[in-house]
Amino acid sequence: MTGFSYTLLITLIPLLVFIVTGLFGMKWKPIVSGLIGTVGLAASFILSLLTAYQYFFKSTTDVFHSVIPFDWLWLTFSDSLQIKMGILLDPISVMMLVVVTTVSLMVHIYSLGYMKGEKGFERFYAFLSLFTFSMLGLVVATNIFQMFVFYELVGACSFLLIGFYYQKPSAVAAAKKAFIVTRFADLGFLIGILILSFYTGTFDFDKLTEPGSDIFNNIAGLSFIGISALSWAMGLIFVGAAGKSAMFPFHIWLPDAMEGPTPVSALIHAATMVVAGVFTVARLFPVYHFYTPDVLILIGYVGGFTSFFAAVIAMTQYDIKGFSLTQPCRR
């Protein structure tokens, strides 16, 4: 499959929209920023649909091979250990491209009316575009370090959007709480990445998930306090995923994050950002399944307990996104 060079535009258009609306949004009417952001996301959405159509329906084989239409060398540590910035297209990333652009486009359209008249309207659309760029960069990452970079950028965007009403002390506190909690989780993610790359000599997903690969030979016999080094690495990587997906015990930032505008809740906390953690586990699933099945079992237990715990909380929850059964409705 060829002809995917245009996929770079899917990520660059939201970045360009962020730069334009961020720099010049105060010079024109607020609605202009909203329209620029919406049209830009519509373009990314159409290109994502085109990518999905070409990838899934124009394939000449029954097997969906990975395609890397763009790969730029960023940093070199050794002949084998390099950090690249690129685009990886495979079934899971192409699907997520469509999901992210679809949800983001709906949020952009909805916000044109919902956020109309709000102070900082143009700032809101600039942050939405930056968040969308960050999520798109995350899902098409060719290597785990690129994913980490966009993990951090997603966290920064979450901080900015949750704290959009910066005049409210509760919104500022919620933004700081979300940022700090997810940073603790991402520290585990970074340590896991460093352990994994040190022994395997690569950050690339293609090499890490290649069937029958021998890159794990150097780490196979290593252990620490009775747990294999690879299990430690993959477990710590899951810690970062748990933080993004608000799994126990990193769930504490999610209820406070409702201080952000309702469109932010839809984009960050319901459909895209919390899916980033699930996407990370799915991306590295071959490693979890074949080399660290014990960590995969742990992930199942954490996910199951988080679901049960959240359901129990919901049984007594009476204040849902600004609407209380015991108090007047508030925005």
Side-chain angles (χ1 to χ4, degrees):
M1 285 180 288
T2 59
F4 287 103
S5 57
Y6 64 87
T7 52
L8 184 60
L9 293 174
I10 298 175
T11 58
L12 290 185
I13 289 175
L15 178 62
L16 179 62
V17 170
F18 163 70
I19 294 173
V20 171
T21 55
L23 292 178
F24 306 108
M26 298 295 292
K27 299 181 183 298
W28 49 54
K29 293 182 179 180
I31 190 63
V32 176
S33 295
L35 292 175
I36 291 175
T38 304
V39 171
L41 252 296
S44 291
F45 170 69
I46 292 171
L47 291 175
S48 297
L49 291 180
L50 178 61
T51 301
Y53 175 74
Q54 280 195 302
Y55 186 85
F56 289 116
F57 298 104
K58 290 294 185 178
S59 174
T60 56
T61 64
D62 295 331
V63 179
F64 296 110
H65 297 286
S66 298
V67 179
I68 302 179
F70 177 78
D71 208 19
W72 170 64
L73 179 61
W74 182 29
L75 295 173
T76 300
F77 296 106
S78 66
D79 293 337
S80 60
L81 189 59
Q82 301 172 333
I83 298 178
K84 298 179 180 179
M85 288 289 176
I87 293 177
L88 171 63
L89 299 179
D90 62 0
I92 186 173
S93 63
V94 173
M95 178 194 70
M96 285 301 297
L97 277 178
V98 176
V99 170
V100 172
T101 53
T102 300
V103 174
S104 186
L105 177 60
M106 296 301 103
V107 169
H108 275 69
I109 294 173
Y110 179 73
S111 298
L112 288 173
Y114 187 88
M115 298 296 291
K116 184 178 180 180
E118 289 280 1
K119 181 182 179 181
F121 183 88
E122 61 283 339
R123 173 168 52 91
F124 178 79
Y125 268 90
F127 291 162
L128 280 186
S129 297
L130 182 61
F131 176 82
T132 305
F133 162 72
S134 306
M135 274 301 304
L136 291 173
L138 189 155
V139 301
V140 299
T142 59
N143 60 81
I144 196 168
F145 201 91
Q146 179 183 343
M147 177 179 282
F148 175 76
V149 170
F150 283 99
Y151 248 58
E152 298 311 295
L153 194 52
V154 164
C157 295
S158 174
F159 170 79
L160 295 171
L161 287 167
I162 294 171
F164 176 76
Y165 297 118
Y166 59 87
Q167 304 91 341
K168 295 172 56 180
S170 57
V172 174
K176 290 191 293 185
K177 184 176 182 179
F179 188 79
I180 292 171
V181 171
T182 52
R183 293 294 72 71
F184 272 107
D186 288 349
L187 175 61
F189 190 20
L190 178 60
I191 295 173
I193 291 173
L194 295 177
I195 295 173
L196 186 65
S197 62
F198 180 80
Y199 289 104
T200 61
T202 184
F203 294 110
D204 295 341
F205 287 126
D206 272 355
K207 295 179 181 179
L208 290 172
T209 59
E210 183 182 2
S213 175
D214 59 354
I215 61 174
F216 296 106
N217 291 346
N218 293 334
I219 195 175
L222 301 175
S223 64
F224 177 67
I225 61 173
I227 301 175
S228 71
L230 185 57
S231 293
W232 276 110
M234 299 308 295
L236 287 168
I237 289 173
F238 170 67
V239 168
K244 276 290 179 287
S245 293
M247 295 184 186
F248 182 86
F250 299 105
H251 64 284
I252 55 176
W253 66 267
L254 190 56
D256 298 79
M258 295 299 116
E259 285 289 343
T262 295
V264 172
S265 301
L267 183 64
I268 293 181
H269 315 123
T272 52
M273 177 175 168
V274 294
V275 179
V278 180
F279 174 81
T280 302
V281 175
R283 169 62 76 202
L284 292 169
F285 182 79
V287 182
Y288 283 112
H289 179 72
F290 292 109
Y291 299 100
T292 59
D294 50 340
V295 179
L296 195 59
I297 294 173
L298 175 63
I299 293 173
Y301 278 119
V302 172
F305 178 77
T306 301
S307 299
F308 175 76
F309 185 57
V312 171
I313 292 175
M315 292 173 64
T316 59
Q317 182 70 24
Y318 61 85
D319 187 359
I320 305 174
K321 189 53 188 173
F323 177 75
S324 173
L325 300 179
T326 61
Q327 300 176 8
C329 181
R330 64 185 186 276
R331 190 166 190 176

